[in-house]
Amino acid sequence: MNHAAREDWVDLIPHRDRMSLLDEVVAWNEGAIHARSQTHRQSDHPLRSPEGLHAVHLIEYAAQATAVHGALLARAGGEPPLAAGRLVSLRDIEVAMEWTDQVKSHLDIHAEQIAGNREGAHYQFRVLAVGTILVAGRMAVMYGPAA
């Protein structure tokens, strides 16, 4: 599996500034990606409400990991960058907590591609802290302009 520093992929995805939630890609290959982040701890997190950062927002971390994965795959294959993706389906979502504020460690974000091509992809994902799954499920992403 390959490591990818943030500067290697940050310009390949549409997420910018504070909405770019991943810190690094620990490892990736043709079928999977493992990313890491500590941005959930930021007091000015763009998805944080006055109550805190709801754990359901960790799905966005997984979605961004799939965006990075698709971009890295396209580049490695010598293909043009993928069009921006849209999250079109979530299935079998499990959320183990309500708020992330007690999570003091970094997040490990894992996504395994079930199927994919330049039109879209299906991923199985999980977001963990210290080996404990916080959010898990499956997602479908479509690439290209909204119809």
Side-chain angles (χ1 to χ4, degrees):
M1 290 189 89
N2 304 307
H3 176 269
R6 183 176 170 81
E7 52 273 2
D8 293 338
W9 51 262
V10 71
D11 291 331
L12 300 176
I13 62 172
H15 311 89
R16 294 286 175 256
D17 304 318
R18 290 179 30 242
M19 257 326 277
S20 182
L21 301 177
L22 305 178
D23 294 327
E24 68 173 312
V25 172
V26 177
W28 72 278
N29 62 22
E30 185 175 310
I33 187 166
H34 172 194
R36 191 167 281 154
S37 180
Q38 295 191 55
T39 62
H40 65 290
R41 297 171 34 195
Q42 296 172 344
S43 61
D44 67 342
H45 192 288
L47 300 175
R48 184 177 296 281
S49 72
E51 293 81 19
L53 181 65
H54 200 282
V56 75
H57 292 302
L58 297 180
I59 294 169
E60 177 62 22
Y61 285 78
Q64 288 191 24
T66 69
V68 173
H69 186 249
L72 290 172
L73 283 175
R75 184 173 68 188
E79 299 177 16
L82 294 170
R86 293 182 321 279
L87 180 60
V88 296
S89 175
L90 293 169
R91 304 266 186 200
D92 302 324
I93 301 301
E94 296 179 18
V95 181
M97 63 174 37
E98 189 168 5
W99 304 100
T100 64
D101 298 311
Q102 67 266 33
V103 178
K104 304 300 182 200
S105 69
H106 65 266
L107 301 174
D108 283 299
I109 302 101
H110 295 270
E112 293 85 31
Q113 190 179 75
I114 299 166
N117 58 35
R118 292 194 61 83
E119 295 176 10
H122 287 87
Y123 283 88
Q124 176 176 301
F125 69 89
R126 62 196 183 287
V127 179
L128 303 94
V130 194
T132 299
I133 296 175
L134 306 178
V135 174
R138 293 181 296 137
M139 68 175 60
V141 178
M142 292 185 68
Y143 306 120

